Amino acid sequence: MAAAQIAKHTGVRVIGTASAGKKDFLESLGVVHVEPGPGAADRIRAAAPGGVDAIYDLVGGRALEEVAGLLEDRSKLITAVDRETVGRLGGSLVERVRDRAVLEAVADLAVTGALRPFVTQAFPFEQAPAALRAVEDGHARGKIVIEVGA
């Protein structure tokens, strides 16, 4: 979600794969929705007849293997989850930088409204196990927050 918003903010046309239940949400972010699963590469080609410049993967495995063929330059194939597959395909793992400059840039995007966090559920600290289950379920449309008292 954050990557899509930042990319849109910089003028990138974003195509995202997600279940049909998340279609309206993706489109509200300005993302072109494509159904995932077998044949996704063909559906992406149809949505981007001029080609794809980069892929940011959050799934890995077969899904990553299928869409990798959309890129001429595999150095622009990046995953946040599957080091082995992306390495074999000629791409790379996301590089995480957590320094002051990055945090300030993200904060500025949030302040200007270019990046919206979409908190969808908040749990009191006492219900932290339920919050973690909600995250691990993998179907959250936004951020899950655990509220910690003073």
Side-chain angles (χ1 to χ4, degrees):
M1 204 176 341
Q5 290 180 75
I6 292 168
K8 290 293 298 176
H9 178 71
T10 62
V12 172
R13 180 169 185 248
V14 178
I15 299 170
T17 59
S19 66
K22 294 183 180 178
K23 179 181 188 282
D24 291 341
F25 179 67
L26 282 184
E27 290 177 348
S28 78
L29 297 174
V31 174
V32 176
H33 174 262
V34 170
E35 285 279 334
D42 292 333
R43 291 187 290 279
I44 293 168
R45 275 188 198 92
V52 174
D53 296 319
I55 294 173
Y56 181 68
D57 167 68
L58 298 170
V59 178
R62 290 186 186 150
L64 177 57
E65 289 174 356
E66 181 177 357
V67 298
L70 296 168
L71 289 175
E72 289 183 31
D73 180 357
R74 293 282 178 95
S75 72
K76 296 188 179 181
L77 178 65
I78 301 168
T79 186
V81 296
D82 192 342
R83 177 187 309 266
E84 182 181 320
T85 302
V86 81
R88 184 171 32 80
L89 296 170
S92 60
L93 196 64
V94 114
E95 291 182 33
R96 299 179 193 276
V97 178
R98 294 182 176 125
D99 63 17
R100 183 180 183 104
V102 170
L103 293 174
E104 286 175 352
V106 170
D108 288 344
L109 290 170
V111 167
T112 64
L115 178 61
R116 297 176 290 161
F118 293 103
V119 174
T120 55
Q121 284 184 283
F123 292 82
F125 181 74
E126 296 76 26
Q127 294 179 11
L132 293 174
R133 281 192 298 277
V135 170
E136 290 169 351
D137 180 42
H139 297 290
R141 290 189 182 185
K143 298 298 178 190
I144 306 294
V145 173
I146 298 174
E147 296 173 334
V148 179

